[in-house]
């Protein structure tokens, strides 16, 4: 089997699978994929939908995703020029796993936040009631 056809090994430090995991595990990449599942979007539409991402970080992430074959950037010869981003078939193949992770996060956010609060209370030596009073 050709090397390019061989599956990766995420536990091998020299395997490029880790670069792929870095890309698809990045919160901005996840949010971009979720946004583009509904169809192509312009840069400002992505930025506004995602919220909290700087233009510089969004640009960097979009370029990386394009480089990795997850999306395409289309420039339309208009005045002013219009640029749209759209998932490739490879990018669309992330629908199920990324949607599952997003659904899990939304369903369990309260439990995770409560666990963080308990952990913070345990490490500061305060009781939950004392911690709640100072918030």
């Amino acid at each position: 089997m050709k090397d390019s056809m061989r599956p990766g090994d995420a536990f091998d430090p020299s395997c490029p699978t880790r670069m792929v995991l870095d890309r698809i595990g990045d919160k901005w990449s996840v949010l971009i994929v979720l946004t583009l599942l509904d169809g192509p979007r312009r840069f400002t539409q992505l930025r506004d939908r995602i919220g909290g991402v700087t233009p510089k970080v969004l640009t960097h992430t979009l370029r990386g995703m394009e480089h990795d074959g997850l999306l395409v950037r289309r420039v339309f010869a208009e005045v002013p020029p219009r640029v749209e981003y759209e998932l490739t078939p490879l990018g669309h193949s992330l629908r199920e796993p990324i949607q599952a992770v997003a659904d899990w996060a939304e369903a369990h956010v309260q439990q995770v936040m409560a666990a963080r609060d308990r952990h913070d209370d345990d490490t500061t030596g305060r009781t939950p009631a004392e911690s709640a009073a100072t918030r």
Side-chain angles (χ1 to χ4, degrees):
M1 182 185 310
K2 289 173 54 176
D3 281 348
S4 63
M5 301 302 288
R6 197 174 325 186
D9 178 359
F11 292 99
D12 176 356
S14 65
C15 182
T17 299
R18 290 191 178 196
M19 290 186 295
V20 175
L21 288 172
D22 284 344
R23 170 66 59 216
I24 64 172
D26 171 70
K27 73 177 174 182
W28 302 122
S29 296
V30 168
L31 293 170
I32 290 168
V33 168
L34 289 171
T35 301
L36 293 178
L37 286 173
D38 294 331
R41 297 283 185 268
R42 295 177 75 168
F43 183 89
T44 54
Q45 292 173 315
L46 284 167
R47 186 195 65 212
D48 293 348
R49 175 70 178 116
I50 292 169
V53 62
T54 66
K56 180 179 178 180
V57 169
L58 182 56
T59 297
H60 177 78
T61 306
L62 288 167
R63 286 180 181 159
M65 292 177 72
E66 182 181 19
H67 184 254
D68 292 343
L70 300 175
L71 59 80
V72 292
R73 179 181 183 265
R74 291 202 174 89
V75 181
F76 296 87
E78 300 175 358
V79 178
R82 178 170 51 106
V83 177
E84 289 184 348
Y85 298 89
E86 184 174 13
L87 292 176
T88 63
L90 182 62
H92 272 287
S93 73
L94 290 168
R95 172 187 293 271
E96 190 175 329
I98 285 183
Q99 189 66 61
V101 170
D103 291 345
W104 184 93
E106 290 172 350
H108 295 90
V109 64
Q110 295 304 321
Q111 291 168 278
V112 171
M113 298 310 293
R116 284 183 179 195
D117 287 346
R118 284 190 304 276
H119 181 268
D120 290 348
D121 293 341
D122 290 346
T123 59
T124 61
R126 295 184 298 188
T127 67
E130 291 170 330
S131 295
T134 62
R135 288 187 195 137

